[in-house]
């Protein structure tokens, strides 16, 4: 009877640990992995049967900061936490930043338990709030520009046209330059005007695959005719709650950026469009709002040279651009549209692998039924 009760308790403990979203490992004194939860399997990209009884050193590079923390906990017999640590995983492209919590097990000679908390999701929320603040600043600036700049510009352009009628050939070139430059400024102000539009968007059930197929067709007919497209779609993906025209604008902009990053002379340029269902993703899209479920993941991935690490953290801020002739408003507008849809956008970039990832809520019918097929 006692053995049966113990087995039930053990089973409940396993269920409890598997329900946690953070990777958890128990480590024996000799450094071998005694147990893991489901999140650890995902984190290390392998099954628990493969992880168990293997040395942790088999999965981490020599000199990983985690080993030092484990030694300290075993020596002191007290828990230690360290934040923003790069584990330097051999198979992970780029950094893998985590917060680490190491604690001795109940019995001092039983080893330690390790919990890892990836910084990605926490920082997504912080960046999302920052981008919303930047978008509000641009909205106010756009409203001011429309009133304070466009009106005088029309007067300047009209005066230049009057002068052009009586100007010499050499002076006429200058008056035409004035007209062209005023027109260019007006277009820039008009583009910024999109940020000041605070009207609620009309959203409905949208098939994102139809949107991506349309974007692909438009792209291949023009700026991306030299690039090979790869589609990696989840066929059972539910509908997204969105505005079709604005979603077309978002992904057309992302695909155009990817094509420009690859360049016109690339022989093996590729753009991958992918969709996936991630039921565990819940984020706060603003400080005051409760966490919302963002299970729909849409990615645009290219094999271009990548984005500079100096630019990457501020990529979605207004007036940040990597193009010689860019205004830096395209990705800022994309972030605003995605934010207006209740979603977030992130970018990860490494040489020959840059990924723009959009997370959005799915469409929920009024009768409450799920739109994801069985």
């Amino acid at each position: 009877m006692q053995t049966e009760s113990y087995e039930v308790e053990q089973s409940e403990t396993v269920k409890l640990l598997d329900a946690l979203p953070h990777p958890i490992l128990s480590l024996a004194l000799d450094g071998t992995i005694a147990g893991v939860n489901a999140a650890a399997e995902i984190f290390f990209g392998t099954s628990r049967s493969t992880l168990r009884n293997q040395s942790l050193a088999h999965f981490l590079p020599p000199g990983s900061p985690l080993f030092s923390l484990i030694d300290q906990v075993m020596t002191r017999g007290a828990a230690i936490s360290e934040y923003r640590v790069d584990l330097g995983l051999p198979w992970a492209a780029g950094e893998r930043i985590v917060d680490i919590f190491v604690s001795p097990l109940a019995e001092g000679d039983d080893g330690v338990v390790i919990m890892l908390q990836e910084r990605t999701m926490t920082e997504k929320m912080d960046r999302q709030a920052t981008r919303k603040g930047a978008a509000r600043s641009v909205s106010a600036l756009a409203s001011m520009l429309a009133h304070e700049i466009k009106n005088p510009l029309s007067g300047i352009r009209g005066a230049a046209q009057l002068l052009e009628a009586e100007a010499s050939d050499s002076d006429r070139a200058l008056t035409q330059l004035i007209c062209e430059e005023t027109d260019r400024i007006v277009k820039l102000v008009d583009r910024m005007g999109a940020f000041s539009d605070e009207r609620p968007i009309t959203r409905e059930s949208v098939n994102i695959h139809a949107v991506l197929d349309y974007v692909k067709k438009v792209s291949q007919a023009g700026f991306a005719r030299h690039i090979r497209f790869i589609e990696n779609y989840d066929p059972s993906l539910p509908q997204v709650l969105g505005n079709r025209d604005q979603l077309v604008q978002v992904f057309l902009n992302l695909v155009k950026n990817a094509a420009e990053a690859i360049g016109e002379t690339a022989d093996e340029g590729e753009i991958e469009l992918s969709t996936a269902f991630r039921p565990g993703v819940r984020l706060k899209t603003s400080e005051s709002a409760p966490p919302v479920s963002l299970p729909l993941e849409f990615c645009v991935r290219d094999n271009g040279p990548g984005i500079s690490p100096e630019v990457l953290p501020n990529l979605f801020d207004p007036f940040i651009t990597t193009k010689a002739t860019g205004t830096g408003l395209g990705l800022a507008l994309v972030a605003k549209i995605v934010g207006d849809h209740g979603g977030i956008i992130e970018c990860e970039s490494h040489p020959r692998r840059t990924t723009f990832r959009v997370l959005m809520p799915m469409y929920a019918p009024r009768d409450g039924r799920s739109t994801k097929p069985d």
Side-chain angles (χ1 to χ4, degrees):
M1 182 70 70
Q2 189 173 1
T3 302
E4 197 173 298
S5 174
Y6 176 77
E7 290 176 351
V8 170
E9 185 178 343
Q10 288 291 95
S11 176
E12 291 301 315
T13 301
V14 170
K15 289 180 183 178
L16 180 63
L17 291 175
D18 281 345
L20 294 175
H22 306 303
I24 296 176
L25 307 88
S26 61
L27 212 64
L29 289 175
D30 61 359
T32 57
I33 300 171
V36 299
N37 69 344
E41 291 182 280
I42 297 172
F43 183 84
F44 287 98
T46 188
S47 67
R48 67 182 68 196
S49 60
T50 302
L51 288 165
R52 280 177 181 162
N53 300 319
Q54 289 279 351
S55 171
L56 184 61
H58 181 73
F59 300 97
L60 296 175
S64 173
L66 182 54
F67 294 130
S68 174
L69 294 177
I70 294 170
D71 289 341
Q72 292 179 55
V73 170
M74 287 185 172
T75 301
R76 300 178 186 176
I80 291 180
S81 304
E82 190 158 330
Y83 300 90
R84 293 193 59 82
V85 177
D86 181 9
L87 284 183
L89 300 179
W91 67 88
E95 297 178 329
R96 196 72 179 267
I97 307 297
V98 296
D99 296 339
I100 302 176
F101 306 89
V102 186
S103 176
L105 286 168
E107 300 295 332
D109 58 352
D110 281 349
V112 299
V113 62
I114 304 164
M115 185 176 80
L116 307 175
Q117 182 174 348
E118 289 197 80
R119 296 289 301 181
T120 309
M121 289 301 178
T122 304
E123 291 173 352
K124 277 181 181 177
M125 291 185 283
D126 293 340
R127 287 196 293 267
Q128 185 71 7
T130 301
R131 287 174 197 154
K132 283 184 177 290
R136 284 193 293 268
S137 299
V138 174
S139 298
L141 178 61
S143 298
M144 181 274 292
L145 286 174
H147 182 267
E148 300 293 339
I149 292 182
K150 288 182 73 173
N151 290 340
L153 282 176
S154 63
I156 294 171
R157 195 183 195 288
Q161 288 176 319
L162 290 174
L163 290 172
E164 185 177 359
E166 300 179 1
S168 63
D169 290 342
S170 58
D171 290 339
R172 190 171 292 115
L174 294 175
T175 58
Q176 289 174 352
L177 179 62
I178 293 173
C179 290
E180 290 171 1
E181 286 300 293
T182 54
D183 289 344
R184 186 178 66 83
I185 296 172
V186 168
K187 288 179 181 178
L188 176 60
V189 173
D190 286 341
R191 288 193 68 193
M192 292 183 63
F195 290 92
S196 62
D197 187 358
E198 297 297 332
R199 294 172 298 178
I201 60 174
T202 302
R203 291 191 285 173
E204 58 187 358
S205 173
V206 177
N207 183 335
I208 196 64
H209 295 148
V211 169
L212 294 176
D213 287 343
Y214 177 81
V215 167
K216 175 187 171 185
K217 186 184 300 182
V218 171
S219 304
Q220 288 182 316
F223 57 82
R225 62 171 61 91
H226 61 296
I227 293 173
R228 185 169 77 95
F229 278 77
I230 300 171
E231 297 173 3
N232 187 11
Y233 296 162
D234 178 351
S236 65
L237 200 72
Q239 305 282 75
V240 62
L241 177 62
N243 180 287
R244 181 189 180 278
D245 291 341
Q246 290 195 356
L247 291 176
V248 167
Q249 184 177 0
V250 164
F251 289 102
L252 194 58
N253 193 306
L254 294 179
V255 170
K256 188 172 187 293
N257 281 354
E260 290 175 349
I262 291 171
E264 296 183 0
T265 59
D267 295 329
E268 299 179 351
E270 290 183 352
I271 294 177
E272 180 184 353
L273 305 175
S274 67
T275 64
F277 189 77
R278 309 292 187 197
V281 178
R282 287 176 58 86
L283 292 175
K284 290 183 67 174
T285 54
S286 69
E287 293 182 4
S288 58
V292 295
S293 178
L294 303 176
L296 304 185
E297 178 187 274
F298 316 131
C299 295
V300 177
R301 188 173 293 110
D302 69 73
N303 63 345
I307 299 169
S308 166
E310 291 77 19
V311 174
L312 196 58
N314 305 308
L315 190 62
F316 297 98
D317 292 348
F319 308 113
I320 301 296
T321 181
T322 58
K323 305 173 189 176
T325 58
T327 60
L329 292 177
L331 286 177
L333 183 57
V334 164
K336 179 184 184 299
I337 293 174
V338 172
D340 289 345
H341 277 73
I344 63 169
I345 180 169
E346 288 295 319
C347 178
E348 298 175 4
S349 185
H350 309 283
R352 296 191 63 78
R353 188 177 177 83
T354 295
T355 303
F356 283 88
R357 180 176 291 103
V358 177
L359 300 177
M360 296 188 69
M362 67 180 181
Y363 171 73
R366 291 187 177 181
D367 60 11
R369 291 180 300 175
S370 171
T371 62
K372 185 171 176 61
D374 296 331

